[in-house]
Amino acid sequence: MDLKILLGERLKDVRVVLAPKELKKIRQILFKRGGAGYLVSNGINRNTAYQILSGRRNLPLSIYLKVVKKLPQKIRLKMAKNLSPEVVLPSKLNAQIAYLAGAMRDGWLICVKDRPIGVGLAQKEQSWLREASLLFEANFKVKPKFFGKNLIVYSEIIALYFHKFLEMPLHSQEDWAMPSAIQHSGFGIKKAFVEGFLDAEGHIKTSSGDPQIIFYQNNSQVLGSIRDFLLQHRMSCGGIRKDKRSNNCQMAICGRLSLARFAKTFKPRLEKKRNSLSYLRKALS
């Protein structure tokens, strides 16, 4: 994950929040490079430079990226000029974030004049919203807010993470393919993405005569990526077809053996779908 690309023109406004031990190491590096003079040569006001070196101000991320050889696994960041909360950005994609990327098919980016400032998720099941909230807290160290059936995270940094790193569109999701970072990851990451996608856009039919698992989306490309992944792991799928009434594309898993394999492999977090898949697993065993 390249923070310069991720944050773009907002990089100059982002500060690194360092723990005391980390701050001590960075100060030593800065003093070796010239202390306040080095900071001033990088566009920092001299008074601000002294405050940074004394630990009274957070270090600009742009300077931090110049002096560290390797990013830590997690980095705590804050926007300098607004009231956005401090957040942690993991340097590596994990299964929980991949799940959120799939589940965000029921979500959106909160934008002001095409500038993303937060993310939102909608779901009737309150227990699932609480679980999604815990995933945001665990991975980004930020506490979402609840508004009825909506979960909201007001953080420009997290919004940029979803927009730039997970390739979430600013507005319509019509062209949102499987994110490249997930596409190029291993089984566990893709599995988590499919589980999130199933919770957002899947339907599990448990009738004994004709059990089905169907994925719906108006974007055939992401369905194609999911289909390829399932086929690689011996789960047969039908073709992707368009429903003329809803204008949505759909893709179904075919055959009792493939349905049983899917039910055994994937574990959605939405209670209703988790129970349906559990019932299906027992019925097909």
Side-chain angles (χ1 to χ4, degrees), residues 102-207:
M104 284 299 288
R105 302 291 163 157
D106 270 345
W108 64 96
L109 285 173
I110 302 165
C111 297
V112 174
K113 295 181 179 178
D114 287 339
R115 178 165 65 90
I117 62 164
V119 298
L121 262 172
Q123 177 53 242
K124 294 177 184 177
E125 193 178 289
Q126 290 294 308
S127 62
W128 183 87
L129 282 182
R130 287 192 293 272
E131 189 164 353
S133 175
L134 291 175
L135 294 181
F136 275 103
E137 288 184 55
N139 289 283
F140 301 104
K141 300 295 184 269
V142 65
K143 199 170 182 66
K145 298 181 183 297
F146 294 88
F147 297 95
K149 297 173 183 177
N150 297 330
L151 178 77
I152 304 294
V153 180
Y154 287 113
S155 165
E156 190 172 347
I157 294 171
I158 291 176
L160 285 168
Y161 180 87
F162 274 85
H163 177 47
K164 295 283 186 72
F165 183 60
L166 295 175
E167 301 167 5
M168 188 175 184
L170 291 177
H171 304 295
S172 170
Q173 294 190 10
E174 215 169 292
D175 298 318
W176 191 14
M178 181 184 284
S180 302
I182 294 172
Q183 187 79 264
H184 295 106
S185 294
F187 175 80
I189 298 292
K190 287 181 181 173
K191 171 180 173 289
F193 175 80
V194 172
E195 288 167 344
F197 198 97
L198 177 68
D199 278 340
E201 302 284 19
H203 172 67
I204 302 170
K205 187 178 176 184
T206 57
S207 61

Side-chain angles (χ1 to χ4, degrees), residues 181-276:
I182 294 172
Q183 187 79 264
H184 295 106
S185 294
F187 175 80
I189 298 292
K190 287 181 181 173
K191 171 180 173 289
F193 175 80
V194 172
E195 288 167 344
F197 198 97
L198 177 68
D199 278 340
E201 302 284 19
H203 172 67
I204 302 170
K205 187 178 176 184
T206 57
S207 61
S208 57
D210 184 29
Q212 288 182 323
I213 297 172
I214 305 173
F215 291 91
Y216 296 95
Q217 244 287 325
N218 56 8
N219 179 347
S220 62
Q221 190 177 350
V222 69
L223 292 182
S225 297
I226 292 173
R227 184 176 184 273
D228 290 343
F229 172 62
L230 296 176
L231 289 172
Q232 285 171 11
H233 296 279
R234 300 184 299 144
M235 292 171 232
S236 298
C237 305
I240 298 167
R241 61 186 186 85
K242 198 157 192 173
D243 187 303
K244 291 181 180 178
R245 287 183 298 176
S246 66
N247 209 34
N248 274 339
C249 297
Q250 62 183 57
M251 184 269 295
I253 298 168
C254 306
R256 295 177 69 86
L257 184 61
S258 292
L259 286 166
R261 191 169 283 137
F262 184 97
K264 186 178 179 180
T265 303
F266 293 91
K267 295 176 174 60
R269 294 173 182 262
L270 197 61
E271 186 177 5
K272 180 181 177 182
K273 290 180 182 175
R274 188 170 61 240
N275 291 341
S276 294

Side-chain angles (χ1 to χ4, degrees), residues 33-90:
R33 296 194 179 192
Y38 175 75
L39 292 173
V40 170
S41 70
N42 279 277
I44 305 296
N45 172 280
R46 185 167 291 276
N47 185 48
T48 302
Y50 287 127
Q51 291 179 332
I52 289 169
L53 290 171
S54 66
R56 285 179 290 154
R57 281 208 184 189
N58 293 320
L59 182 68
L61 178 61
S62 56
I63 306 293
Y64 180 79
L65 293 175
K66 289 181 180 180
V67 300
V68 296
K69 293 180 180 179
K70 185 180 178 181
L71 285 177
Q73 286 190 340
K74 293 182 178 181
I75 182 168
R76 184 175 287 277
L77 303 174
K78 181 169 177 37
M79 299 299 294
K81 297 178 182 178
N82 62 31
L83 298 176
S84 291
E86 291 179 13
V87 302
V88 167
L89 278 191

